[in-house]
Amino acid sequence: MDAQGRGQAEDIDPADQWVLNPDTGDYELRLPSSAPQSPVPGPRRATPAPEREVPAPRRRRATPEEPPPGRRDRRRPAKKKAKKKSKGKKILLWTGGTMAFVILAVGTAGYLYLQHLNDNIESLPDDGASTGGFQKDQAINILLIGTDKRTGSGNDGYGDKGSAGHADTTLLLHVSKDRSNATALSIPRDLIVDIPDCPTTQEDGSTKVIPGSSGVRFNQSLGQSGRTPSCTMRTVTELTGVKPDNFMVADFNAVKTLSSAVGGVEVCLAKDINDPDSHLNLSKGEHTIEGEEALAFVRTRHSVGFGGDLSRIELQQQFLSSLMRKLKSNDTLTSPTKMVKLAEAATEALTVDSKLDSIGKLKDLGLELGKLDTKNLTFATVPVKDNPAEKTPVTVVLKEGPAQQVFDMVKNDISFTEVKKKEKEKKKKEDAAVAARLEGEKSEPSEVRVRVLNGGASAGSAGRELTYLQNEAGVTKSENAGNAPAELARTTLEYAPDQADQARALAEILGLSGAAMKPGESVTNSQGLPTMTLTLGKDFKGAGVKLDATSAKAPEDLQKSTADKVECAK
């Protein structure tokens, strides 16, 4: 729409631009034209002269309550009942496509404009890095990328000057197959990863392979060396084992425009903050922020927590949770003006992959995500620790056991908020005798004696699991017994009846099911003491990773929160 047309549209309530088409039964968007239309005269038709003159009937001027003769009235009826019914239909349009998660929610609001907003959407090839797009009957994985590239006015104080941008803020949004729960997993920008080779489509349609990099920061997966979002996709797959269905990229302006479009976002601080780097100056307590102040809030890191990127992630999660609640509130859903602003802001601020490049596709995605209840959306951060290779750590590396545990839960579509329910359902399927093996007293980890054998896992697995048991799980009386005499499909723990309390303790640590516990005989360890035998089978996933995915629990120290709660940043 040109400037003149947009100016005219601002004088009209956006809801009044929707007109019922009697031929289809649907409402259609009728935008005002940029200039008044003049009638175009058609060719004259010869008519026979009348036999006698007859005075023409005096034409009555149309009143405001009726249409001119020969024209169809496209205005809404003045009757209150009819007007109320029309409003109800419009509300269904607004609420039906509203997304359940921040940026996605706004993208769906854009379908109010239908084809009018398609021109706003910028898309990039996925270069074969995705699954080919989300499916309505499957779990959904959307990669959300916030870039620090300086685009638009007023952003000179943020990001790297002259940079092509980085994957500065990245979340992997997983929505369960049954749409009952979701997890937004934050990936730290300073996490050391291996970036794989990235086949990338060039402007002329040819494909160029951008060489990968080993042991670099995750944020280099975008922008650097010509890498596109498809490279970030491949890096996430390499890191987590989860292949995203689609990606969406937002810049600094997205935070400013979206927060303003909903009339501000509520946040909370546990202390006063005056950060000259991010330009955030807020007192302790609750605040409603938008625009530049909202951007300053999500960019702040030196004044919260430990002053690093992990602390900033907590702020961003609080902001996104609050924004999502505002998007799903009646105050937003029933306001045509806000929904129109959201549609404009989102489609102009987002870049999506080529499998998600139309309002119709965004609408379909939004309808799936709109089924989600905010209390079952968990924000979590990939478990990491300071990089031991640095004297003064500025980067982080994975906590191998807990991180793989989190990735495994996402891959297996296990909720971080409803695990207990799924555990209960699984236990019902086990017979009472097998389930009883897990019930009873448990020894302290330091009292557990076990030898570890490799019975089908990858080479070196017994040694790595032993290191985990001794250094992180507290099972110090454990030892490596080499390879098992035969390969096993599933991991087993054999123990004597008087070792049942030790077996239950180890089963809890490893995530073993009752079926994996094999009452039998003990053996002697290198000190001549009775010990249990843990044989790692082909199902072994890695040191510290829960073996039975359906009984997996989130790591106790996992940084996470749910979207229905407000937690003040410290």
Side-chain angles (χ1 to χ4, degrees), residues 380 506 539:
L506 190 59
D539 62 335

Short mmCIF file of all heavy atoms in Angstrom, two decimals, residues 380 506 539:
data_model
loop_
_atom_site.label_atom_id
_atom_site.label_comp_id
_atom_site.label_asym_id
_atom_site.label_seq_id
_atom_site.Cartn_x
_atom_site.Cartn_y
_atom_site.Cartn_z
N ALA A 380 13.15 -23.36 29.02
CA ALA A 380 14.31 -24.00 29.63
C ALA A 380 15.57 -23.58 28.88
O ALA A 380 15.50 -23.10 27.75
CB ALA A 380 14.17 -25.52 29.62
N LEU A 506 20.60 -47.23 42.01
CA LEU A 506 21.26 -47.09 40.72
C LEU A 506 20.24 -46.95 39.59
O LEU A 506 20.45 -46.21 38.62
CB LEU A 506 22.18 -48.28 40.46
CG LEU A 506 23.11 -48.17 39.26
CD1 LEU A 506 24.03 -46.96 39.41
CD2 LEU A 506 23.92 -49.44 39.07
N ASP A 539 20.86 -49.90 23.50
CA ASP A 539 19.98 -48.75 23.77
C ASP A 539 20.68 -47.65 24.55
O ASP A 539 20.11 -46.59 24.78
CB ASP A 539 18.73 -49.20 24.54
CG ASP A 539 19.09 -49.79 25.90
OD1 ASP A 539 20.23 -50.28 26.07
OD2 ASP A 539 18.24 -49.77 26.81
#
